[in-house]
Structures are given as C-alpha cells and as structure tokens.
Amino acid sequence: MNTNQETFFETTDDSSLNNNSFGIRAKVIGVGGAGISLVDGLRFDNFDFVDNLIIDVDMKAVADSLASHKLTFGRRHTRGMGTGGDVNLGKRLAEEEKDKIRKELEGVDLIFLLAGLGGGVGGGAAPVVARLAREHGALVFAFTPLPFSWEKARHAQAEECLSELRKHANAVIPLPNDSLLQMGGEDSTALECFAEAGRNVSRGIAAICNIVFKKGMIDVDFSYLRKVFSGRGGRTLFGYGKGSGPEGLREALRDLLVCPMLHMPDVSKAADVLLIFVQGGTSLSMSGLQAVSKEIRDSFKAGEDVVFGAHVDENLGEEVKITILGVTSLDPLVPTADVAPVAQQVLELGKQPKQSHRSKLEITGTKTEKTSSIATRKKRGKKGDNKEQNTFFFMEEENQRGIFDDLPSRNMYEGEDLDVPSYLRRGVKIVI
Amino acid sequence: MSKIIGAVEIGTSCAKALVGEVTEGKSLNIVGKSVRKNEGMRKGEIVDFRKVASSVHAALEEAEKMSGTTVDSVYLAQTGAHIKGSFLRGSANVASPDGRVSVDDLQTAANEAKRKQPASGRSYVHHVRMPIQLDGRSVEDPVGMIGKKVELIYWSIEGDESAIRMNLDLAHNYGLEVADLILSSIASSTMVAGPDLRRAGVLVIDLGAGVTDLALYRNGNVAYTGVIPVGGDHLTGDLSMGLRVLEPYAEELKIEYGKSQSDPSDADQQLWIIGNKTIGDRKVPRKTMTDIIHVRIVELFEIISKELGDLLDTSELGAGVLLTGGASRLPGIEQLASKVLGVPVTKASFPSGLGNELAQPENSTVLGLLHYGLEDHGLPGEQHKPASSGFIKKLGGLIGI
Ligand SMILES: Nc1ncnc2c1ncn2[C@@H]1O[C@H](COP(=O)(O)OP(=O)(O)OP(=O)(O)O)[C@@H](O)[C@H]1O
Ligand SMILES: Nc1nc2c(ncn2[C@@H]2O[C@H](COP(=O)(O)OP(=O)(O)O)[C@@H](O)[C@H]2O)c(=O)[nH]1
Ligand SMILES: [Mg+2]
Ligand SMILES: [Mg+2]
C-alpha cells in the first residue's frame, strides 16, 4: 500500500555520517496492521543504518510485509489471527512476550514507533513496546494514526491508548484519520488518508534522522536531542511547509504556519522543546536560516530547548522544506530517574556537546530581548484592536490556543467531543 | 414612587447590564444600558474570574453612569451546561374543618415539593411554578375555595454550586445584592414569547456565543428547559480551524459573510480573510466557509431534536419555534433549523415600543430578566417580595440553611 510516498529519505548529498552521532542505533518499529503498512510505506534508501521491525499477532499481515525484521507473538492464543480489536488481549500478549521484544530493543538508542491506536495490537501492544524501550534507555518518538470519529468504540479506546502511550514515549504525534482525510483531494478515500499518514511519518523520521545522522550545514548530535526530548507525557505539535523561488524560505515558513497538521484539535500551539529541520537548495543562507528559526521559535513560544538542523540538497534547486516537531513538557527537562545506565552514559558524554546548534547558529534569544519581544507582541495581539496584517502572527498570545483548547474537560455528547469542529467529525471535506 | 432595579447577563461573549426604573410598581423604563466584551468565559461558564469581574463591573458602572443613579440589587441570569431541570411535586390536604383552602395549605405543599435537596455540590437556581392543582383541576388562586387537596408542581432548575456561587460573587463583589437568579432561557422567553404564544405552545431557542438555551412551553407553562454547550463560538472556532485563520478574523468573516446554507452564487466566490489584501492576506472559497457553518448548525439542531424527543410535537407547538440570541442573526438559520426539526421556525421579534437599539436578539436575556423579575411569581397570599429579601431566601437555599 505504498502510495506516492514522498522521498524524504533520499538525499543526494554525500551520505557521510554526522560524526557526533557515530554509533547511534535507530530503529523503526511498526506494531499491528496499521504500523506494518506504515513501515512498508517508508523508503530506507539512504538510511541503511536505520533498522526496521514489525510486530503483530496476525501471521498473515506479518508474512505479507516487506520489512526486513519481523516478530510475531501470541500465536497460541490467537492461532495466528488478529485480536479482533481487543486492546486488552493485545496488551496481555505483548506482556507475555516481553523478553522477545526486549531482545529487539537491545542497544537501540532511537526508536520510531508506528501503530494505529484504534487496533487491538496497535493500541494494546504499542504502549508496552514503548515502556520496554524506555526501560532500555531509548528515546522514543511515536507516530500514531487515530480512528475516524465515526468508529465510535475504537475512537474512545484509542484515546485511552494514547494517554497510556504518552506515559512512556518521549513524543507522541497523533495522526487523526478525520483530519488527514481533510488533507487529500476533493474526494479522497480512507486509503488516501492512510497515505497521508505515511507521508507525515516519513517527514518526521526524515527530519530527525537527517539532523542526527547526516552531515549538513547545521546539525546537533544525538546526546543533545536526547537531552531536550527527555520529558514525557506532553502534548505535541508537528507541521511542515514548502516554498520555492528566491523567497523560498519565507514562503516555506508561511506555508508551515498554515499547515493543517498544526491546526487540528488537541495539537499544542506552543512548544517547550522544538525541533526544526530545514532542507533546501544551494540558496540557503545562514542569515535567512537565522531569521526563519527565530520566527518559528517565537511563533511557538519555544525557549532554549531547540534542536535546529539545516541541510543543503542541491537537487532541491530553489525549493525549501521545513519540518517542525515540538513537545510541551509537563515536567520540563527533569531527566527521569528510571532511565537506564546506557542513557546516563550518553548524557554524560553529551555534557559538552562538541557542536550544538547554539554554537553554530547565533540564537538571538537572549533574556532581555525575549521579554521585550513578548511584551510588544502582547500589545499587538490584543483582541479587537489593530490586528497585525500578517498570518505569521497566527500564534499570537491570545490565539495560541483554539477557542476551547484551554478547557480542562471535553464537551462529550454521545461519544463525540462537540468542541471539535463538526466538519472534522462528520468527515465533510473542506477545500481551501 | 419609583424604584431602580438592575439586570445582568454575564454572557460568554459580552457582559450586559441594564438599569430599569419602575414607576408605580408597573411601568418599566430602561434608563441605563451597557455591553462589555467578556473574555473570561467559555460555554456559559467562568474560566477566568478576574477577566469576567472586570467586564461585569465595567458594564455595571457604565450603565449606572448612563442612568444617573445607582442600583442596589440586580436580577442575574444563570446558564451553563451543568444546569438541569426536573419536575418536583408537593401536596397538602386542606386543613381547615370548613374545607376552604388556606395560604398555609399552599405553603405546606410548596415546602413538600421543595423538600428534596439537590445532590451535594449542587444547588437550586430557580423553581418555576406550574398552575396550582385543586383536586386535580388547575386553578389560578385556590385560596378560599372548597376542596380536599392542593398540589403544587415546580419545574426546578439546579446546577453546580460553585459555578452558581461564582456568578453570584460577581455581583456581590460590586456591592450588589442579587434580587433573584433567573434561568437565561426563561428570561429570554419572557421577552420574545408572550402569554398567547406560550399558551399555543412554543419552543424558544437562544443561540448565544457559548451556549444554546432552550425553553419549551405548553399550555402556557414551562414543560422543559435545557442548555446545550454549543454556540456561536463554535462556528468561529470551526471556521478558524477549517480556514486556518486567526479567531478574530474568523469571527469577522462569520458576521459579515456567514450563512447557513450555500447557494449557487457561492460557487466561485472567494473571500479575503483579512480584507485589505496586504501581506499574509489570502482568499478562501465562500462555499467552504458556508459548508463549515452548515454542518455545525445541522448538528446543533439535531442535538436539540434528540434532547427534546417527543416534546418536539408539532401539534403541541402552535406557535412553532422562535430563535433569538446573537447567533440567531445568521442568515438562513431559521430555514435550516426548520428542515432539521420538522417544525416551523422563525426568528423571534420583540414587543413594540422597545426602541431599535434594545430590540436586538442578543438582548433577549437581559431584557427578559427585568420583565420576569418584576412579575409576581409568588404563591397567592404571599407578599410579592421586594428585591432584596428574595435573595436572602435564595442564598439560604444555596448554602443549605
Ligand atoms: N450577524 C451575525 N451572524 C452570526 N453570528 C452572529 C452575528 N452577530 C453576532 N453573532 C454571534 O452571536 C454571539 C453572541 O450572542 P449573545 O450576545 O446572545 O451571546 P452571549 O449572551 O454573550 O453568550 P451566552 O448566552 O452563550 O453565554 C457571538 O457568538 C457572535 O459571533
Ligand atoms: N493511517 C493508517 N491507519 C490505519 C491503517 N490500517 C488501519 N488503520 C487504522 O488503525 C485501526 C485498526 O488498527 P489495525 O492496525 O488494523 O489493528 P491491529 O492490527 O489490531 O493493531 C483503525 O482505526 C484504522 O482506521 C493504515 O494503513 N494507515
Ligand atoms: Mg490487525
Ligand atoms: Mg446569552
């Protein structure tokens, strides 16, 4: 089911490795049917050092996959069939096979976990895998398709799985099918929507892997990435933008700020930790990058914990792409006590990052300047008076949250959250 | 002798205050009015007390200034998704040996009806009395009539105690007494549906910014009230997300170009999101905008229909459905509502003589507060309580004295 997957993994750049991250091992793990199809959709052309693995109880799904490493479990209980959407079964079976799973996690530092949370295996086993990975000291990024609102029972169940997963993974990027359906063409189908999920997963993984493993204009090493993303349980944001021409970078920024992924229910509008990855042709300039990085950080209220990467890819010509991934920490940057010794070592190693983004890119956010810029923005953003004529200010103080985003409880009616736009829940296609 | 009385609706979008002058106990003159933007509320509930307090106080101050007097007590509107209504009944055998109903009999029945206390953490907001039943017949005033048993029925509205507390505190902090707490939907209905319509049967829907308030009348009496936590803010939020524009722009677009149903003329119409075509401005298809609104409105009326169930009976709704509240300004909303509800729907109008500035749909609640408050809703024989003492009783009820 590999529909026009974007080729984010293909950098024609020499594939020399980022020396600072030498020896770091990454693995993409797909759990359950949706997870498997996402892994199958990825292209690993230039990332042969990123392993992949699929895990499922469904023998047939596993057999049909192209993945290089496969793990089946729970055979005795399900006779090789699926769980029938039973999360508890998925969870129990994964727990029973802990040791098998652990073996696959050994020595892995960075894990991309892909699982459809509406599934029995995806929803039940993925949180177990995340927990085990965490016990091994790995950094875990999860990308998780969420069922359509009209799959009522699955929907409620997926919500629970999501909060369970958030306890263990360092960042969980939800990919709600409702919203993804909005992003395809006028009459896009569920298949197109899965393809869109695949493109997002691919963008996210590519951004992180490029920054960590590939050598570019600006990179950070893995230990720094691990350090800033060490929190858990926070809400996340994920978005991308594209531009071309002489003003390509600015156009990409504009495109990023209206990225539909950033304007979905439940997406955080501010990030305590923010990863920014810019990829462009030879026209990328340091000063341009610096300005754009500042605008992005301001837009999402990012503090010091920014992972910034910029890579030149001559093939892109005048095209520029930006991908961002952010987390709102609940408990910012308190390294958790249960991180295994391996992680500790890496943290120690990373104490004096040889080249952090800070040294390479002069970040202008000194304390005083930051405060003053917030103060002026506050004034400007005041509801009603003299609105800025610029979509860059989409994330202004008053507007950083959707209208109902700040409410503690949901507005549930017959299993649906009424504060979520009706057109999303009803699957009505919006064309803009 | 004239009396000065205030009314306050702390609406999700705006705090609204009125100052009324009652002369000779009957003619009401509105002498002060103010509306202030309120940013501390969501869906009819307070989320930021200070912000709400500052807009409520500013509105009161301005209304008082305009009237040239000060008010001591106000009628206060109450809404919110936490509000629930149900019927309470109480009865009493006629005590006097001559078989004539006394004021005390009525009081006994009333006490029995109101004896049932709401669950802990909940308080009564408002008891709406139905006609008194004397041996199974509805009578206006049974005192002195011969009979065996009187029965009292109330539509009793209760809500979350802390939410109600906060609402009351907003008035108290300004040094005001609350003469009475009145359910928003009942206040609005008092204004837009007169006794004839209520007798014929009518459903009044007040579409506010944060909530939609419902009140259904049959044979002149309240048969149901409800609050649905969806309002004009949801339209704005949906537009903001769907069109990916800032909320203030979404709100402006909605007010200027919003409609409930797309028509062929929308086909290739494009709207500028900001309007002055400067940097950052872009165009959105009008049809998209209408579609976003359309699905939300359809859903809202479907919910209303589900909530009302069998009560939504055309034969019992001679006066049909009336829409009021700021969000009812949306063009075409009555046609769409009618299609979904299967009942005739019109936009409500106001009694003549109100003046253009006041006779606007968003003012239904605050105007209705004054009118309802000044009517006598007590039991026959009970003295119509002047503003302040009513509240003491209410407060007693709230804190469980
Ligand atoms: N022309 C219009 N078209 C559509 N909506 C409108 C129009 N004019 C005002 N509104 C909406 O009406 C709402 C305000 O109505 P109203 O003043 O009755 O609400 P409120 O009393 O503040 O809120 P609530 O009663 O829900 O607490 C806002 O959502 C506003 O956007
Ligand atoms: N994005 C995406 N979602 C999928 C895909 N297949 C199934 N889903 C969603 O995932 C859920 C079913 O999960 P699935 O993985 O089939 O079940 P499991 O094998 O028991 O985990 C449903 O809510 C589907 O909407 C896919 O290929 N891509
Ligand atoms: Mg399966
Ligand atoms: Mg109102």
Side-chain angles (χ1 to χ4, degrees):
Chain A
M1 210 200 66
N2 182 359
T3 6
N4 47 348
Q5 197 68 263
E6 281 182 24
T7 54
F8 269 94
F9 278 131
E10 290 171 278
T11 44
T12 46
D13 209 4
D14 65 307
S15 50
S16 59
L17 295 180
N18 179 355
N19 286 331
N20 298 323
S21 297
F22 191 74
I24 298 300
R25 285 185 58 202
K27 201 172 222 175
V28 177
I29 303 180
V31 183
I36 292 177
S37 78
L38 285 171
V39 172
D40 284 345
L42 290 171
R43 305 177 52 163
F44 295 90
D45 308 17
N46 269 299
F47 285 84
D48 39 18
F49 47 89
V50 178
D51 286 332
N52 62 74
L53 167 72
I54 55 161
I55 304 180
D56 202 348
V57 300
D58 182 340
M59 303 286 286
K60 174 144 185 2
V62 171
D64 289 347
S65 163
L66 310 167
S68 51
H69 297 86
K70 304 178 177 187
L71 175 65
T72 50
F73 65 101
R75 188 167 186 171
R76 268 175 305 133
H77 295 83
T78 63
R79 281 173 289 122
M81 318 272 270
T83 58
D86 184 344
V87 172
N88 292 326
L89 183 58
K91 181 176 175 167
R92 189 163 56 85
L93 295 180
E95 295 282 3
E96 280 176 14
E97 308 279 354
K98 269 200 297 239
D99 294 337
K100 252 185 177 173
I101 297 171
R102 278 204 178 109
K103 221 174 247 137
E104 299 288 344
L105 301 173
E106 246 154 53
V108 183
D109 308 279
L110 174 60
I111 287 173
F112 300 103
L113 190 60
L114 317 181
L117 294 189
V121 180
V128 176
V129 175
R131 197 193 75 223
L132 298 175
R134 168 191 178 177
E135 286 166 6
H136 278 262
L139 187 62
V140 181
F141 290 90
F143 292 85
T144 58
L146 299 181
F148 292 101
S149 286
W150 64 74
E151 303 178 63
K152 295 237 156 118
R154 278 180 188 263
H155 197 72
Q157 166 187 307
E159 291 273 344
E160 276 177 39
C161 297
L162 181 62
S163 47
E164 182 65 23
L165 186 57
R166 280 196 169 128
K167 288 186 206 154
H168 305 299
N170 301 88
V172 183
I173 315 294
L175 302 166
N177 280 340
D178 283 349
S179 309
L180 296 176
L181 190 61
Q182 292 294 326
M183 291 165 211
E186 175 90 64
D187 39 32
S188 74
T189 59
L191 272 193
E192 173 54 29
C193 150
F194 293 163
E196 182 62 32
R199 283 191 285 272
N200 283 308
V201 170
S202 158
R203 285 180 186 115
I205 297 180
I208 296 168
C209 287
N210 269 297
I211 293 180
V212 173
F213 296 115
K214 298 273 181 155
K215 218 156 139 20
M217 265 170 99
I218 303 166
D219 293 297
V220 298
D221 48 32
F222 179 71
S223 55
Y224 185 71
L225 181 80
R226 185 204 291 276
K227 183 170 153 274
V228 299
F229 279 97
S230 63
R232 277 185 195 88
R235 287 209 299 171
T236 54
L237 59 88
F238 176 77
Y240 49 86
K242 208 151 104 167
S244 67
E247 286 289 291
L249 191 54
R250 300 212 66 81
E251 205 178 298
L253 173 60
R254 255 194 298 271
D255 194 41
L256 166 74
L257 293 178
V258 297
C259 173
M261 291 294 291
L262 293 171
H263 302 286
M264 295 186 320
D266 229 22
V267 167
S268 167
K269 300 293 188 290
D272 296 311
V273 176
L274 187 61
L275 177 141
I276 306 170
F277 180 59
V278 183
Q279 207 172 14
T282 41
S283 63
L284 279 191
S285 72
M286 267 299 187
S287 61
L289 287 171
Q290 199 163 328
V292 159
S293 138
K294 177 164 168 32
E295 280 190 67
I296 296 177
R297 282 179 287 124
D298 285 353
S299 296
F300 296 94
K301 316 257 177 296
E304 299 287 293
D305 294 308
V306 175
V307 173
F308 188 90
H311 284 207
V312 172
D313 177 352
E314 277 144 11
N315 270 15
L316 284 176
E318 292 205 306
E319 222 183 295
V320 180
K321 295 172 181 176
I322 305 178
T323 307
I324 63 168
L325 192 161
V327 184
T328 341
S329 312
L330 293 180
D331 199 7
L333 293 183
V334 184
T336 29
D338 54 9
V339 179
V342 191
Q344 209 49 53
Q345 273 177 11
V346 184
L347 269 178
E348 300 293 323
L349 268 176
K351 267 198 178 138
Q352 285 166 309
K354 286 168 221 137
Q355 273 186 309
S356 94
H357 68 293
R358 268 175 246 225
S359 54
K360 289 190 205 166
L361 180 74
E362 207 45 60
I363 285 183
T364 41
T366 58
K367 278 266 154 41
T368 44
E369 196 183 322
K370 184 93 190 167
T371 347
S372 71
S373 92
I374 286 179
T376 47
R377 275 188 296 132
K378 246 188 191 146
K379 238 186 270 157
R380 255 202 319 250
K382 198 85 197 139
K383 231 182 189 169
D385 57 49
N386 195 20
K387 278 167 297 188
E388 271 303 321
Q389 318 290 319
N390 198 324
T391 37
F392 290 171
F393 294 98
F394 199 105
M395 304 295 168
E396 277 303 336
E397 204 82 0
E398 281 78 8
N399 304 300
Q400 57 172 291
R401 293 156 170 274
I403 297 192
F404 309 108
D405 228 25
D406 49 354
L407 297 182
S409 62
R410 300 193 147 213
N411 193 356
M412 297 311 286
Y413 187 82
E414 295 191 336
E416 291 185 33
D417 184 348
L418 297 180
D419 292 346
V420 173
S422 316
Y423 72 85
L424 280 179
R425 285 178 286 111
R426 300 280 166 124
V428 172
K429 191 74 200 165
I430 292 307
V431 186
I432 70 165
Chain B
M1 243 288 280
S2 78
K3 198 175 97 180
I4 295 293
I5 181 85
V8 176
E9 182 206 2
I10 309 172
T12 307
S13 67
C14 303
K16 306 177 188 92
L18 289 182
V19 178
E21 185 183 30
V22 194
T23 38
E24 277 130 32
K26 48 177 196 284
S27 109
L28 170 69
N29 221 345
I30 288 162
V31 292
K33 173 187 182 262
S34 172
V35 174
R36 280 299 167 95
K37 262 216 149 339
N38 180 3
E39 288 178 354
M41 255 165 109
R42 297 280 191 284
K43 291 178 277 181
E45 290 174 46
I46 295 160
V47 292
D48 185 332
F49 190 83
R50 278 188 207 196
K51 278 190 182 164
V52 181
S54 84
S55 61
V56 172
H57 297 173
L60 277 164
E61 209 173 288
E62 192 178 73
E64 282 188 329
K65 206 159 146 198
M66 184 174 158
S67 71
T69 64
T70 54
V71 292
D72 303 319
S73 72
V74 292
Y75 291 106
L76 186 60
Q78 176 74 56
T79 185
H82 54 94
I83 302 285
K84 297 276 172 309
S86 61
F87 283 108
L88 292 185
R89 291 157 195 276
S91 60
N93 292 320
V94 177
S96 126
D98 63 2
R100 287 183 194 278
V101 179
S102 70
V103 172
D104 285 349
D105 296 333
L106 293 179
Q107 206 57 63
T108 310
N111 290 342
E112 192 190 299
K114 297 179 187 175
R115 193 190 48 207
K116 184 175 165 259
Q117 287 301 307
S120 89
R122 309 270 303 167
S123 297
Y124 284 123
V125 172
H126 193 163
H127 293 285
V128 184
R129 183 170 60 75
M130 304 289 120
I132 301 166
Q133 304 285 307
L134 176 62
D135 298 331
R137 279 180 305 127
S138 288
V139 288
E140 186 69 23
D141 180 359
V143 176
M145 292 169 74
I146 304 230
K148 292 201 173 66
K149 188 174 165 189
V150 285
E151 191 183 15
L152 283 180
I153 305 173
Y154 292 88
W155 176 255
S156 291
I157 297 137
E158 51 158 294
D160 179 71
E161 188 170 318
S162 63
I164 298 167
R165 243 302 131 219
M166 269 201 271
N167 198 13
L168 292 169
D169 283 345
L170 284 163
H172 294 160
N173 291 357
Y174 190 71
L176 287 178
E177 290 206 58
V178 175
D180 224 336
L181 203 51
I182 297 167
L183 190 69
S184 299
S185 56
I186 294 201
S188 298
S189 310
T190 307
M191 208 54 222
V192 301
D196 292 349
L197 300 184
R198 283 184 249 167
R199 253 191 304 278
V202 68
L203 168 64
V204 176
I205 305 181
D206 183 317
L207 299 139
V211 300
T212 296
D213 292 295
L214 311 174
L216 182 99
Y217 291 81
R218 275 183 176 185
N219 306 315
N221 302 310
V222 174
Y224 172 86
T225 60
V227 182
I228 293 164
V230 173
D233 282 350
H234 286 82
L235 292 176
T236 304
D238 292 3
L239 288 173
S240 166
M241 201 171 290
L243 303 176
R244 277 166 252 149
V245 302
L246 289 169
E247 260 162 54
Y249 298 130
E251 174 76 13
E252 276 174 22
L253 281 172
K254 174 184 81 174
I255 289 176
E256 196 156 345
Y257 302 105
K259 52 184 179 173
S260 316
Q261 179 92 51
S262 71
D263 55 60
S265 72
D266 291 351
D268 352 81
Q269 215 182 327
Q270 301 273 328
L271 302 170
W272 289 93
I273 55 169
I274 301 172
N276 56 8
K277 303 179 188 173
T278 45
I279 333 157
D281 206 351
R282 62 196 163 82
K283 288 188 285 187
V284 293
R286 175 140 198 201
K287 176 162 186 316
T288 301
M289 184 184 160
T290 316
D291 288 346
I292 293 173
I293 295 175
H294 181 85
V295 275
R296 175 62 84 171
I297 299 290
V298 168
E299 180 183 73
L300 173 58
F301 285 99
E302 281 172 357
I303 292 173
I304 292 173
S305 174
K306 274 186 215 161
E307 289 295 290
L308 289 167
D310 293 342
L311 287 168
L312 198 65
D313 174 351
T314 326
S315 64
E316 298 270 6
L317 282 173
V321 177
L322 298 178
L323 303 184
T324 191
S328 73
R329 289 175 176 272
L330 193 76
I333 192 170
E334 68 277 36
Q335 282 95 327
L336 188 54
S338 179
K339 208 162 108 190
V340 178
L341 298 177
V343 179
V345 180
T346 47
K347 290 191 182 180
S349 55
F350 289 87
S352 55
L354 247 187
N356 233 347
E357 203 206 324
L358 282 171
Q360 301 296 330
E362 49 277 344
N363 294 336
S364 298
T365 306
V366 72
L367 284 167
L369 286 175
L370 281 184
H371 285 264
Y372 185 89
L374 293 170
E375 286 168 12
D376 184 357
H377 302 281
L379 285 169
E382 205 177 45
Q383 202 193 343
H384 180 32
K385 301 254 165 62
S388 56
S389 60
F391 170 63
I392 305 300
K393 202 170 111 205
K394 184 123 309 175
L395 187 63
L398 279 176
I399 55 181
I401 296 172

